[in-house]
Amino acid sequence: VAGKILETCREVRLDNLPDKEFTCSVGVALCPDNGSSYMELYEKADRAMYEVKRNGKNNFAFATEPDISGDEF
């Protein structure tokens, strides 16, 4: 799914900016591996996205931090 998002971003063209290429960086967090609440997942996906940006942009990364709260949903 993340690869398809990147592909779709590259296909975007705007009439008033025909020479501009659009890219995106995507962070992915999985439930329950990376957390069980919205905020846990959001924060970990956000960190993964910024890791992509630090390493060249226009890619995706999975969160690497496990959920250590012990909570099940």
Side-chain angles (χ1 to χ4, degrees):
V1 172
K4 183 66 174 165
I5 292 169
L6 296 175
E7 183 182 317
T8 300
C9 284
R10 283 191 295 268
E11 294 171 357
V12 170
R13 297 290 180 257
L14 297 177
D15 292 338
N16 59 337
L17 298 170
D19 296 332
K20 289 288 183 181
E21 243 182 60
F22 292 89
T23 62
C24 62
S25 300
V26 178
V28 180
L30 302 173
C31 180
D33 296 344
N34 302 118
S36 55
S37 73
Y38 169 81
M39 282 309 296
E40 288 174 313
L41 295 168
Y42 174 85
E43 289 170 359
K44 291 177 182 174
D46 191 54
R47 280 188 234 143
M49 178 195 64
Y50 278 101
E51 187 64 28
V52 169
K53 289 178 176 292
R54 279 190 292 277
N55 290 305
K57 303 180 182 180
N58 193 33
N59 209 343
F60 67 92
F62 287 90
T64 57
E65 301 172 33
D67 177 18
I68 57 172
S69 68
D71 293 340
E72 297 287 330
F73 63 97

